[in-house]
Amino acid sequence: MPRVTRDEAPPLADLMPWSVAPPRLGRGWPTAPDPASLRARWDRLLTAEGADREALLQPTRSRTAHTAVAQLPGGPAGTGRLIRATGPCPEPVRVLAAPFDEQWLIPDHRLIDAARPELWRVADAHQVFVVESDGAPHLLATSRFPTLRARRIRPLYRRPGGGEPNLAPGLLEHLGHSRDPLDFLAWTLAAVRPDRTVPLTRDPGLWSRGVALGHRLLRLLRRDGERPKLPGGRRPYVRAPLPALPLTVRHDPAEEALHLDGGRISPVPRRPGTSRRAASGSWSGGSRCAPHPARPAPSPPSGRAPGPRPGPRNCWNSSRC
């Protein structure tokens, strides 16, 4: 079958059977853009006592300062009740908090309402988490532990170290292409439909083109390898912190810079034959950014808890990453 019809495209759930519900943090303050803020928040929590410590924790039905829980797999955090906890902050880890938004998290089971230990157990340098989203993009792939809102999380591997692919038995042999699970994931990212069905093919040429496109997506989503460069080897960087909801966007061709209110990204060259208005509009959809709902910022413990150090909100292209 060199091609398949719409009815012959199986759902992703049949191709990658094992899935887990997304983690539920229950409180925002254990997540931050930088580790220093998290260590300061942890220190503030532990210097408080009794009811003050309970209030700073922001208790829920699942977690209070008196809750006893098991240690997360591979985690260095303690297991004693937080009301009596002492010691330094567990080493923060990188997580995917929203699409293309990497943050830091305190990996302490006592701070997380639903941590999904089965996901932590298989999280390592080999793992790729496939995240099903309600909106666009419909699928994300990340090497970071996913904490974002999602429908389901599908690890590519069932065991640590890249062992036992999370694929339907005999799938790769049936297709007759590459036996590398990462190649199949690349095809999936390139071919998946909005209803999360994945058309399959035995056409070697079509498969190769789809896998090549999927690996480009994987490099961007996982931030693997060399970042994309402009002609001449240049890379755009965040030169001045970007606002959460910029009201104005303009492109300065002389500076090769994109200005978003007081924020600035450069170099951003204008494509040949593109007007200044078109160059700005291609980024913002017009001279003003369309309003959109902002993701709530993580709430630190009550009181004057330390926040992140000054810097760009999103360091995808920042030299300070």
Side-chain angles (χ1 to χ4, degrees):
M1 60 176 186
R3 299 289 193 276
V4 294
T5 68
R6 182 171 295 274
D7 292 337
E8 293 171 319
L12 180 64
D14 290 350
L15 301 173
M16 301 183 69
W18 179 43
S19 70
V20 180
R24 189 179 74 254
L25 299 184
R27 53 194 55 78
W29 68 263
T31 305
D34 65 288
S37 295
L38 294 178
R39 296 188 181 100
R41 292 173 187 178
W42 175 268
D43 291 343
R44 182 174 180 82
L45 177 71
L46 265 59
T47 55
E49 297 181 356
D52 291 338
R53 182 178 294 194
E54 182 88 21
L56 286 173
L57 172 64
Q58 298 176 357
T60 63
R61 293 178 60 184
S62 300
R63 292 290 183 272
T64 71
H66 300 272
T67 303
V69 294
Q71 189 179 60
L72 285 176
T79 58
R81 290 171 171 79
L82 273 175
I83 197 68
R84 297 191 297 269
T86 59
C89 176
E91 189 63 28
V93 298
R94 279 277 206 178
V95 297
L96 186 70
F100 306 102
D101 182 11
E102 293 185 0
Q103 302 271 332
W104 294 85
L105 170 73
I106 301 176
D108 193 314
H109 206 177
R110 298 168 294 183
L111 306 180
I112 304 173
D113 280 9
R116 313 303 180 200
E118 59 270 44
L119 291 179
W120 288 93
R121 189 172 294 112
V122 298
D124 59 18
H126 302 276
Q127 187 61 264
V128 184
F129 294 104
V130 179
V131 182
E132 294 185 20
S133 173
D134 284 321
H138 301 289
L139 283 189
L140 292 169
T142 178
S143 300
R144 308 299 188 187
F145 189 85
T147 61
L148 69 172
R149 293 181 181 179
R151 292 169 60 94
R152 303 293 292 180
I153 309 293
R154 300 184 185 276
L156 181 59
Y157 300 103
R158 293 175 176 267
R159 300 183 183 278
E164 192 177 344
N166 179 26
L167 299 175
L171 174 62
L172 300 182
E173 292 79 2
H174 171 74
L175 293 175
H177 302 302
S178 168
R179 301 296 180 91
D180 186 349
L182 206 57
D183 284 346
F184 180 81
L185 176 57
W187 169 267
T188 300
L189 291 173
V192 66
R193 293 167 174 163
D195 61 357
R196 295 178 189 83
T197 58
V198 183
L200 304 177
T201 181
R202 287 179 178 168
D203 182 338
L206 181 60
W207 173 268
S208 296
R209 293 194 298 274
V211 168
L213 174 60
H215 277 296
R216 291 178 60 190
L217 293 171
L218 276 171
R219 283 195 296 273
L220 292 172
L221 293 170
R222 300 176 68 196
R223 301 181 62 176
D224 286 349
E226 284 293 315
R227 297 188 186 182
K229 296 181 182 179
L230 298 170
R234 300 179 300 166
R235 291 193 182 95
Y237 291 106
V238 176
R239 308 294 182 176
L242 304 179
L245 294 172
L247 297 178
T248 59
V249 177
R250 66 180 180 88
H251 182 261
D252 189 323
E255 293 184 3
E256 291 191 329
L258 188 69
H259 295 265
L260 297 93
D261 293 347
R264 182 166 61 95
I265 304 173
S266 69
V268 181
R270 192 174 71 198
R271 292 195 303 269
T274 305
S275 67
R276 178 184 297 188
R277 177 181 291 271
S280 298
S282 65
W283 285 82
S284 66
S287 58
R288 293 175 62 87
C289 290
H292 59 84
R295 185 172 63 87
S299 54
S302 57
R304 298 182 58 84
R309 294 170 296 178
R313 290 181 58 84
N314 188 335
C315 63
W316 172 272
N317 287 323
S318 173
S319 58
R320 281 174 277 186
C321 290

